[in-house]
Amino acid sequence: MSIRIGSRGAPVTAAQTRLNELGSHIRVDGRYGRETATAVREFQRSHRLQVDGVVGRETARAMGLTDGFDAPAAPSGRSSRSHAAPAATPPPATTIDPRRGALITPAEHRELTPIEQTTLAANRMNARLDGYTQRGEPVPPEELTRAHRLSELMAIPLPLTADPTGEVNDFAVARGGLQDRLRAIDGH
């Protein structure tokens, strides 16, 4: 199970309570919103975990929240997959988050800023490129073209302002990772 923006209930309350025990100062309301996601990203950054704002298996373990985070769970507010209605074709804003292998719902997608959306795209691309490398396979030309286009899109100047949510830092890390992978693949 993982919890993320849009999640609700006891697991969220447990994570919010634990984050406060670890030094955050967030509202404990059982709703996973921006405030909780920001606290999770800060925790992940300080513990050298993948900074994605999602409390998945690794983040939960680092927080000391192992109960229930080792097995997949049905999305919050819905019954298990065996009792769920057949899934309709997702709207265009729906994407797959490779870190958790689950759909990002349209509501979650609307919660993301454009910089967070681009960061997510770069993280997905980094994961795909890593997969090819780990399997010892060459990157397909069309995938390499997409990676280069994304890298070009991300070649924007970053603001030199305060970054309380960590968005700019997350973007810079994802951009740097993508650029490093492309340099390694291209042989530079």
Side-chain angles (χ1 to χ4, degrees), residues 46-114:
S46 69
H47 286 80
R48 298 187 185 278
L49 298 168
Q50 180 173 344
V51 180
D52 58 9
V54 174
V55 180
R57 196 175 300 169
E58 290 180 33
T59 300
R61 284 185 184 147
M63 291 172 63
L65 297 172
T66 57
D67 190 32
F69 284 89
D70 292 326
S76 127
R78 297 185 185 149
S79 62
S80 70
R81 193 176 273 258
S82 62
H83 298 95
T89 303
T94 304
T95 57
I96 299 289
D97 182 344
R99 296 174 304 252
R100 62 184 175 152
L103 289 174
I104 294 177
T105 66
E108 289 173 321
H109 194 270
R110 283 190 299 272
E111 287 279 331
L112 299 176
T113 65

Side-chain angles (χ1 to χ4, degrees), residues 76-146:
S76 127
R78 297 185 185 149
S79 62
S80 70
R81 193 176 273 258
S82 62
H83 298 95
T89 303
T94 304
T95 57
I96 299 289
D97 182 344
R99 296 174 304 252
R100 62 184 175 152
L103 289 174
I104 294 177
T105 66
E108 289 173 321
H109 194 270
R110 283 190 299 272
E111 287 279 331
L112 299 176
T113 65
I115 200 166
E116 288 172 324
Q117 292 171 10
T118 306
T119 300
L120 180 61
N123 286 335
R124 285 193 317 261
M125 181 59 72
N126 283 332
R128 287 197 305 269
L129 294 176
D130 282 345
Y132 291 115
T133 302
Q134 290 171 358
R135 291 186 304 269
E137 299 173 2
V139 179
E142 63 277 1
E143 187 85 309
L144 195 53
T145 299
R146 282 193 296 270

Side-chain angles (χ1 to χ4, degrees), residues 1-88:
M1 162 178 67
S2 63
I3 57 175
R4 59 209 164 270
I5 288 181
S7 297
R8 295 175 184 229
V12 176
T13 301
Q16 290 170 329
T17 301
R18 185 66 180 138
L19 284 164
N20 283 340
E21 290 169 356
L22 295 168
S24 293
H25 303 287
I26 60 173
R27 185 175 48 251
V28 178
D29 59 4
R31 295 177 178 205
Y32 201 113
R34 283 183 182 258
E35 181 184 33
T36 303
T38 298
V40 169
R41 279 194 293 272
E42 289 171 4
F43 175 84
Q44 290 169 327
R45 206 173 286 111
S46 69
H47 286 80
R48 298 187 185 278
L49 298 168
Q50 180 173 344
V51 180
D52 58 9
V54 174
V55 180
R57 196 175 300 169
E58 290 180 33
T59 300
R61 284 185 184 147
M63 291 172 63
L65 297 172
T66 57
D67 190 32
F69 284 89
D70 292 326
S76 127
R78 297 185 185 149
S79 62
S80 70
R81 193 176 273 258
S82 62
H83 298 95

